[in-house]
Amino acid sequence: MTIKAFELLRPKSLVEASELLLQHGEEARPIAGGTTLVILMKQRAVHFPYLVDLQGIAGLDHISEENGYIRIGAMATQRSVECSSTIRRFLPVLADAVGKIGNVRVRETASIGGNLAHADYRLDPPPALLILGADLVLSGPNGSRTVAIKDFYRGMYETALEAADILAEVKIPHMPEGSRATYLKYSSLSANDWPCLGVAALLALKGNRCKELRLALGGLSSTPLLVQGLAFTQDQPLDDDLLEKIVSVVDQQISPTPDFRGSEWYKRKMARVFVRRAIREVEQHLSA
Amino acid sequence: MSTHSVVGKSVYRRDATQKVTGQILHVGNIEMPGMLHVAVLRSPYPHARITRIEKSRAEALEGVAAVLTGADIAAMPGVDPYFGPAFCDQPILAIDRVLHVGDLVVAVAAEELRQAEDALQLVDVDYEPLPTVFDVREAAQPGAPLVHEELRPAGAFADLAHVKAGQKSNVCYHFKLRKGNVQNAFEEADRIFEDTFSSPPAQHMPMEPHVTLVYMDENEKINVWTATQTPSFVRTQLASTFGISMNRIRVRVPYLGGGYGSKLYAKLEPLVTLLALTTRRPVRYSLTREEEFQTITKHGVVVKIKTAVKDGLISARHCEVYFDTGAYAEIGPRIVHKSGYTSAGPYRIPNVWIDAYCVYTNKPPAGAFRGFGVPQVIWAYDSQMDTIARALGVDSVEFRMRHALDEGEPFATGTQVRSFGLKESIRQAAQAIEWSKTRPPKSGTRLRGKGIAAGVKAVLTPSISGAIIIMNADGSVNVLSSTVEMGQGSETMMAQIVAEELGISFDQVRIVQPDTDITPYDTITAGSRSTYHMGNAVRMAAGKIKTELFSAVAAKLEVNTEDLIARDGRISVRGTEEKGMTIGQAFLAKFGSLGTTITGEAICQPTAAPMDPETGQSEKCTEYWFPSASAAEVEVDTETGQVSIVKFLSVGDVGTAINPKHCEQQLLGSAITHLSLTFFEEMIFEEGQLLNGSLLDYQIASMKDLPETFEPIVVEEPHESGPFGAKGVGETGTLTVSAAIANAVEDAIGVRIRDLPITPEKILRGLTEKGQVAPKGK
């Protein structure tokens, strides 16, 4: 199908972009890589008479490490995040999670910011960014503010972005000393499909005891989940009993919505399996 | 074989380079000056009466040339508003009722596609919902809401001649086969096995969607460029729809970007022709991927199969098969007929009872899909063969071999099987998967298993292929054939056969693409029939040219024609090859000048003996059979239920392989299609609404989903009247995939899946119900 006629507005700065969004209100939408928005508009599922193109704004696609943070401009392509030596060195789990989005043709075009702001419940990067404790820098008409990623997602396709806000940067602290992390994407249908669920785990050990554990899950319900209440794992030996306690805690906090990739029953089962697998995998990395 | 110069050789396909480098012309690439584009408003209801259509705002939109409704068409003098191959039940646009979500309601032709799509949003349609029926078995019951008020058979096919018009039922066709005394055999059985298997509706997913371009030329001829597998049928349909003579319609078909059965018979052609006639402009309509799902599907099928065993042998089989043909019969009745009679399997069973039903429901129409309904019945019978063998404690390969028909034995229809490499296919599949090798003990959470399945499909008979060959004085030839090159390699096959017959080089043969003004009638490019039927036609046509050349040469050299051979572009005397002449010299000898041509024409028209409509018995129900076997080794993750395919063998009896590489590619390609259907593909409906009708949600196999080791095995059981012994191979690899996988899964984990697709969740549920394995810590 074709896209209904629209006007492409090309601001040169974030402030100008916010002003345009403010001016056109509900009739305008920012467009980054366009890999999702263009499909929806082609299907005529949505229509915006004005698209505010973020491609022309300079300085939004950086990937750098400074002052204890890794900073990624929202317009950095997913492929550039996946392949960045900085990301691979400091946050290999993020490179890995971003590398599992869609396919390489999509990742060459799509931006990291567009992915996060789209807020589909099946995205790969959010669980990884949740365990990394990322902050998101939102730029609005009255300047910018920072929101922790755990507070960013509000519902299905709903975020902390307010009218005229633009996601400008992802700011991620260094991983805790001695920790490793992994992201497991489980596609229950074709290997190229959206995940049935995604599990990210970050683990640090002291001897064979757990020093720190963080878990996050995506694809289960309307927003990605950072698992709470894992402090009890501290200083505990990482044995089968502890794993069982951990998966019980996870099980209590999730409420999976059934979709084509699995029923609630199946998604609960898979959360147990992949939380366990993720933790064991990081444990192996740490002891390797 | 060794005496042939090009037949039996894996020559490179004719169209490979052009396709890989993007130089191929497809209908969607053809632009005409002043061409209009089409968008169609489709029904949001599965069954409803149209009470009002308001289209004036759409008509007033800039660029809009025509806004057409079914009522407009019904009021046009001389136009038959209904079409369809088996039943004349499908309106060009819905007239008073819509019968499925996606049924065509209003068509717009505009200067730009965007204008046409914008115009659709300005059309208002009021509907009054009507009672619906979606489940195929419910629809078959008396008293179910009727999809069609009465049946309207089209009368085009001899094998459906007994179907009566006017009946009030959703069952639009009922196939019966009765052999022996089934009731007795069940009474006397040692054991009885009863199972129900299902396969869901699915989509063909050719890369190229349906697309049709029509324009009137300066001589008032209707010119149709269309992506179809049936150029001859499309012309016949248009002639009948518009009541005009066939020589005023020219249907041309360039290379197709895949068909798989989706592009058979008329689809968009009547509508686009009507728009071209109305606007007097060239008009092109190309479906979106989403519209493909609403246009044609693979039949969802439910098979109830009941089998009696006496003294370790199958003594009787009772099959009840329900084909969900959706809102329009399309070719469903013929599919039910042709696959129905094979639904007890290629096995020696003395007593057989088959009822196969073609049933209307309020879903998108179902039609041919690579395998023509046969994969759905094999899914049932060769899954059950495995469970029976398992229950009897017999090796399942041995159990199949015990029952597999031998050459010359009667099939369930009474037809003796010929050129029937079934046992050889099973044997080779078993050997390649190392069936008899001792299995390692099972432990851990990744369990392996092996499975084999066998089955057979028969070619649609009768059908007709005509060919004309024109030889030029330089020895080069043009082959005029209506066989559609849709990726299967038919051009290469024809060129090999013609080159072999005329003793010229492969490169001297050029194929003229289907053009009903030029290329003669061909029933259909489908059903694994072209190599045999068109192969024979072009061989015979070439033979006629050879006869003429030989008599010219024989007269000139004063030898007998029987002593001549054609080879390497020369016609010479057998044994003394230096005595002879080139084809050019032969032309000079015949005509006394160059620039002349010799034309040969031939028709291949195998016949069948009509089946008894009450018993399905026939002395000859088909021209040839193509047996298939698949062997799989799988590994099941017992924590997730996910299956990975360690090894897969696709085995088929092709007759003589004209091009072995092509046969191998067909065996693998069709296996990929059915691996995808086995694991992923399913059109999911809720109250008639398709929930996963786009490639964002509908899953097809990607390269990453294919088996680690994946090999074809070509079995050659030459057919006495096939061209050089060839049969067909386009569908063979589809037939036995699903059952082989399910059999391997049961071998691995002891869980039997009876409903496709085989998803990880179904497997995990099976494991959980069995209570044998559960995720650790549960």
Side-chain angles (χ1 to χ4, degrees):
Chain A
M1 285 182 80
T2 56
I3 297 181
K4 207 171 163 162
F6 63 90
E7 198 177 327
L8 188 67
L9 308 172
R10 319 195 75 162
K12 293 283 176 217
S13 70
L14 281 170
V15 172
E16 195 191 335
S18 286
E19 281 166 1
L20 287 168
L21 289 171
L22 208 55
Q23 183 189 336
H24 295 291
E26 292 288 297
E27 297 208 310
R29 187 87 164 180
I31 182 164
T35 53
T36 300
L37 189 56
V38 170
I39 292 176
L40 292 172
M41 289 180 73
K42 269 184 146 178
Q43 290 177 334
R44 298 200 170 200
V46 296
H47 175 64
F48 301 100
Y50 301 95
L51 292 182
V52 179
D53 181 12
L54 306 182
Q55 307 258 18
I57 301 173
L60 273 186
D61 60 355
H62 55 279
I63 298 174
S64 61
E65 190 270 331
E66 52 191 278
N67 305 327
Y69 284 94
I70 293 92
R71 312 171 79 106
I72 307 172
M75 289 301 286
T77 65
Q78 294 166 6
R79 185 71 175 154
S80 69
V81 175
E82 173 191 355
C83 298
S84 151
S85 56
T86 306
I87 303 298
R88 291 201 166 192
R89 178 173 164 210
F90 295 110
L91 307 169
V93 64
L94 182 62
D96 193 32
V98 171
K100 287 175 177 170
I101 300 170
N103 57 57
V104 70
R105 293 162 297 282
V106 167
R107 296 195 297 275
E108 280 287 355
T109 307
S111 68
I112 187 72
N115 178 279
L116 297 176
H118 176 48
D120 188 283
Y121 71 109
R122 300 162 293 192
L123 303 175
D124 295 300
L129 291 170
L130 280 165
I131 58 163
L132 294 172
D135 285 328
L136 303 180
V137 180
L138 314 186
S139 171
N142 308 313
S144 68
R145 60 200 166 96
T146 299
V147 176
I149 189 160
K150 69 177 169 50
D151 301 321
F152 181 70
Y153 292 104
R154 302 281 167 86
M156 187 80 84
Y157 307 118
E158 282 175 32
T159 66
L161 285 163
E162 287 174 18
D165 273 352
I166 292 161
L167 173 56
E169 187 181 62
V170 187
K171 211 174 123 188
I172 309 150
H174 281 280
M175 290 172 64
E177 188 153 349
S179 70
R180 296 286 292 262
T182 192
Y183 172 71
L184 300 183
K185 173 179 181 170
Y186 173 55
S187 292
S188 54
L189 298 175
S190 159
N192 275 349
D193 189 26
W194 289 103
C196 168
L197 86 170
V199 176
L202 179 146
L203 179 69
L205 291 178
K206 200 190 309 171
N208 66 342
R209 286 172 185 267
C210 189
K211 190 168 143 203
E212 177 162 21
L213 174 67
R214 300 180 197 166
L215 290 169
L217 296 90
L220 295 178
S221 44
S222 55
T223 57
L225 172 81
L226 179 64
V227 177
Q228 305 297 311
L230 292 173
F232 73 91
T233 59
Q234 218 167 356
D235 297 327
Q236 300 297 312
L238 198 57
D239 54 18
D240 283 347
D241 280 350
L242 187 69
L243 274 183
E244 179 51 31
K245 280 181 194 140
I246 293 165
V247 294
S248 299
V249 167
V250 171
D251 194 57
Q252 283 161 22
Q253 291 180 33
I254 59 173
S255 47
T257 314
D259 61 18
F260 300 126
R261 285 98 193 157
S263 66
E264 189 197 337
W265 174 84
Y266 187 67
K267 291 201 170 199
R268 276 195 186 279
K269 293 269 191 204
M270 291 308 100
R272 287 178 164 269
V273 170
F274 284 93
V275 164
R276 211 183 278 278
R277 285 185 184 180
I279 294 171
R280 286 295 185 211
E281 188 180 301
V282 186
E283 186 192 12
Q284 271 184 9
H285 286 317
L286 284 166
S287 55
Chain B
M1 182 70 58
S2 55
T3 61
H4 296 148
S5 62
V6 60
V7 156
K9 304 252 173 6
S10 294
V11 294
Y12 281 125
R13 54 181 305 143
R14 255 294 145 68
D15 46 351
T17 308
Q18 299 94 308
K19 281 185 173 167
V20 171
T21 54
Q23 297 176 69
I24 291 290
L25 179 77
H26 293 290
V27 179
N29 304 124
I30 305 173
E31 298 281 342
M32 303 275 299
M35 186 173 80
L36 301 171
H37 299 266
V38 180
V40 171
L41 188 68
R42 290 167 177 272
S43 168
Y45 290 95
H47 192 190
R49 192 174 306 287
I50 299 169
T51 55
R52 185 185 70 100
I53 298 179
E54 172 51 54
K55 60 173 184 167
S56 55
R57 284 200 304 151
E59 284 170 325
L61 193 73
E62 194 195 339
V64 170
V67 182
L68 215 56
T69 68
D72 296 337
I73 297 171
M76 290 178 183
V79 176
D80 184 346
Y82 290 93
F83 69 104
F87 281 58
C88 196
D89 60 357
Q90 186 159 9
I92 297 171
L93 292 171
I95 296 171
D96 51 350
R97 291 190 305 148
V98 288
L99 305 186
H100 68 94
V101 173
D103 215 352
L104 295 80
V105 180
V106 179
V108 175
E111 306 276 347
E112 290 175 27
L113 183 56
R114 176 180 299 147
Q115 293 167 331
E117 287 172 347
D118 285 349
L120 293 186
Q121 297 185 312
L122 302 175
V123 176
D124 291 320
V125 184
D126 292 341
Y127 297 95
E128 183 186 300
L130 293 168
T132 50
V133 63
F134 305 115
D135 180 86
V136 66
R137 280 184 287 183
E138 279 171 33
Q141 297 305 313
L146 285 180
V147 178
H148 290 269
E149 278 153 7
E150 57 183 47
L151 301 185
R152 299 162 53 100
F157 296 104
D159 44 19
L160 299 177
H162 59 287
V163 179
K164 291 181 190 63
Q167 299 181 64
K168 292 190 187 304
S169 167
N170 289 322
V171 177
C172 62
Y173 178 69
H174 175 189
F175 170 78
K176 295 179 215 171
L177 188 143
R178 311 286 184 252
K179 179 193 169 195
N181 190 332
V182 171
Q183 201 185 334
N184 250 3
F186 275 103
E187 280 165 12
E188 289 168 8
D190 297 335
R191 296 190 67 167
I192 293 173
F193 298 85
E194 196 167 357
D195 293 285
T196 301
F197 294 89
S198 75
S199 11
Q203 229 290 314
H204 304 71
M205 213 62 75
M207 266 201 268
E208 176 202 40
H210 288 83
V211 53
T212 300
L213 191 168
V214 180
Y215 67 95
M216 302 282 290
D217 67 17
E218 61 282 9
N219 298 317
E220 292 293 295
K221 181 180 275 186
I222 297 171
N223 284 264
V224 182
W225 283 99
T226 187
T228 184
Q229 298 172 239
T230 48
S232 304
F233 183 93
V234 165
R235 183 172 68 152
T236 309
Q237 177 72 65
L238 293 177
S240 137
T241 297
F242 298 101
I244 56 176
S245 64
M246 291 166 77
N247 64 357
R248 284 190 49 211
I249 302 162
R250 180 179 191 184
V251 179
R252 276 177 282 184
V253 185
Y255 288 119
L256 255 59
Y260 316 116
S262 70
K263 293 170 180 166
L264 297 176
Y265 309 109
K267 290 283 186 296
L268 312 180
E269 295 87 356
L271 175 63
V272 181
T273 302
L274 204 52
L275 288 165
L277 289 170
T278 310
T279 59
R280 313 292 298 173
R281 304 257 301 261
V283 179
R284 188 176 75 201
Y285 183 22
S286 178
L287 292 189
T288 63
R289 184 58 63 189
E290 288 71 20
E291 285 177 299
E292 288 287 320
F293 284 94
Q294 301 168 327
T295 301
I296 193 73
T297 65
K298 169 177 183 260
H299 282 84
V301 176
V302 177
V303 183
K304 285 176 71 179
I305 181 166
K306 191 172 148 188
T307 303
V309 174
K310 177 85 179 163
D311 301 329
L313 290 173
I314 295 177
S315 56
R317 183 162 270 177
H318 184 285
C319 305
E320 208 176 308
V321 191
Y322 295 88
F323 282 82
D324 182 347
T325 208
Y328 300 107
E330 240 277 338
I331 199 61
R334 262 198 126 197
I335 290 174
V336 171
H337 181 242
K338 302 299 176 195
S339 61
Y341 77 71
T342 70
S343 50
Y347 299 118
R348 195 178 302 109
I349 305 176
N351 305 288
V352 179
W353 179 291
I354 298 169
D355 286 304
Y357 303 96
C358 189
V359 187
Y360 284 127
T361 62
N362 292 114
K363 296 219 281 284
F369 186 113
R370 202 172 190 176
F372 219 61
V374 176
Q376 292 99 312
V377 299
I378 295 179
W379 164 237
Y381 72 65
D382 237 57
S383 289
Q384 205 199 36
M385 282 303 273
D386 227 59
T387 56
I388 297 172
R390 202 172 290 276
L392 299 178
V394 183
D395 177 275
S396 77
V397 168
E398 154 62 19
F399 192 63
R400 282 184 183 86
M401 293 299 265
R402 207 183 273 178
H403 291 88
L405 292 177
D406 281 312
E407 188 76 15
E409 279 194 280
F411 201 74
T413 56
T415 305
Q416 289 180 346
V417 298
R418 298 280 176 215
S419 168
F420 204 69
L422 177 67
K423 280 188 166 172
E424 185 57 21
S425 296
I426 299 174
R427 210 174 281 129
Q428 294 223 24
Q431 194 183 342
I433 203 79
E434 300 180 288
W435 183 257
S436 45
K437 196 172 160 186
T438 315
R439 317 284 164 88
K442 290 186 197 303
S443 68
T445 59
R446 301 188 74 89
L447 303 184
R448 288 195 174 194
K450 291 177 184 174
I452 287 207
V456 72
K457 183 179 181 289
V459 76
L460 310 186
T461 314
S463 73
I464 300 170
S465 287
I468 295 171
I469 299 180
I470 303 170
M471 179 175 255
N472 305 300
D474 61 358
S476 70
V477 301
N478 295 107
V479 177
L480 278 52
S481 153
S482 292
T483 290
V484 176
E485 175 59 84
M486 51 187 182
Q488 82 278 40
S490 56
E491 288 196 347
T492 308
M493 170 279 291
M494 288 190 270
Q496 285 184 262
I497 288 176
V498 170
E500 186 70 50
E501 188 66 24
L502 289 170
I504 57 178
S505 81
F506 176 70
D507 294 330
Q508 279 182 293
V509 185
R510 293 284 146 180
I511 311 295
V512 176
Q513 290 188 318
D515 177 342
T516 56
D517 264 12
I518 298 166
T519 57
Y521 178 85
D522 177 55
T523 304
I524 198 169
T525 302
S528 312
R529 66 175 288 283
S530 298
T531 297
Y532 184 97
H533 293 76
M534 193 57 80
N536 265 328
V538 298
R539 188 184 185 189
M540 289 187 286
K544 289 181 180 173
I545 292 171
K546 193 163 78 174
T547 302
E548 288 200 37
L549 287 172
F550 277 15
S551 40
V553 172
K556 185 82 177 176
L557 299 182
E558 298 179 344
V559 294
N560 290 323
T561 53
E562 300 87 71
D563 296 330
L564 294 174
I565 55 164
R567 191 149 189 147
D568 301 329
R570 283 173 57 83
I571 294 154
S572 42
V573 179
R574 188 180 285 108
T576 48
E577 267 80 4
E578 65 284 356
K579 192 175 177 190
M581 59 178 78
T582 64
I583 288 175
Q585 289 164 335
F587 265 72
L588 269 178
K590 182 175 169 68
F591 297 105
S593 73
L594 288 175
T596 50
T597 54
I598 301 177
T599 300
E601 179 175 3
I603 287 178
C604 173
Q605 185 180 9
T607 54
M611 280 187 181
D612 182 319
E614 292 306 314
T615 64
Q617 297 300 299
S618 161
E619 263 180 40
K620 186 191 171 196
C621 64
T622 186
E623 181 73 0
Y624 58 91
W625 308 85
F626 31 102
S628 149
S630 296
E633 181 173 8
V634 301
E635 183 173 280
V636 182
D637 180 334
T638 57
E639 291 187 320
T640 64
Q642 201 164 40
V643 177
S644 46
I645 311 162
V646 181
K647 190 170 186 180
F648 195 90
L649 290 313
S650 178
V651 189
D653 166 18
V654 307
T656 301
I658 300 291
N659 185 317
K661 176 58 79 183
H662 281 200
C663 291
E664 291 177 359
Q665 289 173 336
Q666 284 290 324
L667 287 173
L668 291 188
S670 47
I672 291 171
T673 304
H674 263 70
L675 284 169
S676 184
L677 290 157
T678 301
F679 288 111
F680 310 127
E681 296 191 47
E682 173 176 24
M683 288 172 67
I684 302 170
F685 290 94
E686 194 174 280
E687 290 296 304
Q689 303 284 345
L690 180 60
L691 302 181
N692 58 342
S694 89
L695 282 174
L696 288 176
D697 287 317
Y698 185 90
Q699 297 293 304
I700 57 172
S702 67
M703 281 297 170
K704 291 181 189 167
D705 297 301
L706 300 186
E708 284 167 42
T709 304
F710 191 23
E711 284 162 13
I713 299 176
V714 172
V715 172
E716 294 186 274
E717 200 70 55
H719 189 282
E720 56 184 1
S721 49
F724 301 97
K727 298 193 288 187
V729 66
E731 297 160 298
T732 313
T734 68
L735 302 175
T736 48
V737 173
S738 301
I741 295 287
N743 295 342
V745 167
E746 180 166 14
D747 187 51
I749 57 168
V751 168
R752 170 58 55 178
I753 304 294
R754 293 181 176 79
D755 302 297
L756 288 175
I758 302 174
T759 61
E761 178 159 354
K762 285 180 192 168
I763 287 178
L764 197 68
R765 277 193 194 278
L767 283 167
T768 309
E769 279 160 22
K770 221 168 64 118
Q772 184 181 307
V773 189
K776 258 187 284 172
K778 171 74 190 176

